Amino acid sequence: MKAIRTRGGISLRLDIRALVIVLVLLCAALAASVALIGTGDFPISATDVIRTLLGNGDAGQEFIVNELRLPRVLVGLLVGAALALGGALFQAISRNPLGSPDILGLGQGSTAGALVMIVLFSGSAAQVALGALVGGLVTGFAIYLLAWKRGVHGYRLVLVGIGMSAVMSAVNGYLLTKADIVDAARATVWMTGSLDGRDWNQVWPLLALCAVLVPVVLTYARPLRMLEMGDDVANALGVRVERTRLVLLVAAVLLTAAATAAAGPVGFVALTAPQLARRLTRSPGPNIAASMCMGAALLVTADWISQRAFGADQLPVGVVTGVVGGVYLLWLLVSERKAGRI
């Protein structure tokens, strides 16, 4: 940790290790993005990808890179960053490494909203995305209300979220039984979580939402670190606890719901990315920048693996993140049990 004082009398503390980790993760995300753009039926070298992105490619490369593959990669980066940030906020607010949107039922709520549009209304892709967004928001609001008792506390939030997850899973199963074979197949593909077919129509709304919410979260970064010390300590330090918690919960729900609307319920990125970022930086607090870079790097790397590691059979990215995240969840549960926290 290094202290920096500006000429205006403002002092800042700079965590050198955390800064290095953020830069490394950012470079890893960009490198994976270049590799992913070059992957496909028409392979393009990394040098040609970079040259095309700078506007110096030929007409064929311009079309393949800028119109077909770049939007998919940008959606992957934004979804990974949004899920990781949402997970970091939930884990910091609940003070529980299991307090992520995957566990709390937000993904299942978004899935329920999407299934309603698919099964009951045979909705278009835009309507399905809107249904997923509304479903996530309604589920988050319900969890907050049910967890409220003179404030929202960590373990109550997690327990209510687990219960809501079970209810939403049952609702999703019921909706699938009511669907015809075509809609059921379409819904199953969406529920897996995939970046296939993503274009600029998914990029711009998610980018705009992140551009609004990330600065809001950064504004509350210091109060959020104090919340992790407990409500009493945060109150004593002048933090408006419930207002801070509500603003950050709304931001986390919006980020998670928007990411799910754009790519489906991609599992376990929100759970694993913040924890991996914290272990790498060895820094307390939500590690907002490191978590976002880790989430972006994880998702685009998983998408590259899903396209390259299984030969001609390309898997949805949600399958890869589910396998990796499931293994990590088991390891985390064992670690928490050995530490006596569960």
Side-chain angles (χ1 to χ4, degrees):
M1 189 75 69
K2 183 178 180 181
I4 300 176
R5 183 176 294 276
T6 66
R7 292 182 179 180
I10 300 175
S11 61
L12 302 171
R13 290 187 304 169
L14 183 63
D15 190 332
I16 302 299
R17 179 185 177 88
L19 179 61
V20 171
I21 293 298
V22 168
L23 293 176
V24 170
L25 290 174
L26 183 60
C27 291
L30 294 176
S33 299
V34 171
L36 184 57
I37 291 174
T39 298
D41 294 334
F42 185 81
I44 304 175
S45 67
T47 302
D48 289 338
V49 169
I50 295 173
R51 186 168 60 244
T52 303
L53 290 174
L54 295 176
N56 298 319
D58 59 39
Q61 291 173 340
E62 291 277 354
F63 175 75
I64 292 173
V65 170
N66 294 328
E67 298 300 324
L68 299 182
R69 298 180 182 174
L70 180 59
R72 173 181 178 141
V73 172
L74 290 177
V75 170
L77 290 171
L78 290 170
V79 167
L83 288 175
L85 180 54
L89 292 177
F90 274 113
Q91 290 173 13
I93 291 170
S94 65
R95 291 187 288 167
N96 191 321
L98 296 178
S100 82
D102 306 295
I103 307 298
L104 300 183
L106 291 177
Q108 289 83 352
S110 294
T111 301
L115 287 180
V116 167
M117 299 306 298
I118 293 174
V119 174
L120 301 183
F121 300 103
S122 298
S124 63
Q127 291 170 330
V128 171
L130 179 60
L133 182 62
V134 173
L137 293 176
V138 171
T139 303
F141 183 67
I143 291 172
Y144 185 83
L145 288 182
L146 292 173
W148 175 270
K149 185 180 179 181
R150 293 192 296 272
V152 176
H153 300 283
Y155 280 102
R156 192 185 306 133
L157 182 69
V158 173
L159 290 174
V160 171
I162 291 173
M164 185 62 69
S165 176
V167 171
M168 288 295 102
S169 295
V171 170
N172 294 339
Y174 172 78
L175 288 171
L176 282 176
T177 63
K178 292 298 182 181
D180 60 40
I181 188 65
V182 175
D183 287 339
R186 180 185 173 197
T188 301
V189 171
W190 188 90
M191 290 170 63
T192 305
S194 176
L195 296 176
D196 287 343
R198 298 306 183 263
D199 56 27
W200 292 105
N201 292 326
Q202 285 83 37
V203 173
W204 299 121
L206 191 54
L207 180 61
L209 186 70
C210 290
V212 172
L213 292 180
V214 171
V216 173
V217 172
L218 291 175
T219 301
Y220 281 87
R222 185 171 179 271
L224 181 59
R225 286 195 297 270
M226 295 178 182
L227 277 181
E228 290 190 306
M229 296 185 289
D231 290 2
D232 293 338
V233 175
N235 271 317
L237 294 173
V239 176
R240 301 178 66 176
V241 173
E242 288 307 321
R243 176 182 174 180
T244 299
R245 185 179 285 123
L246 178 60
V247 169
L248 293 176
L249 280 174
V250 169
V253 170
L254 282 171
L255 287 165
T256 303
T260 305
V266 180
F268 289 107
V269 174
L271 174 68
T272 57
Q275 290 298 312
L276 292 175
R278 177 174 289 198
R279 281 167 168 75
L280 287 175
T281 61
R282 299 177 187 173
S283 175
N287 290 280
I288 292 172
S291 296
M292 292 177 64
C293 292
M294 176 63 77
L298 278 177
L299 194 53
V300 293
T301 301
D303 196 30
W304 182 86
I305 292 172
S306 70
Q307 294 188 51
R308 299 283 292 183
F310 303 96
D313 298 325
Q314 294 188 8
L315 296 179
V317 67
V319 174
V320 178
T321 60
V323 171
V324 175
V327 172
Y328 177 81
L329 177 59
L330 292 174
W331 175 84
L332 180 61
L333 290 172
V334 171
S335 300
E336 292 291 301
R337 183 178 180 183
K338 288 182 177 179
R341 289 188 284 267
I342 59 175

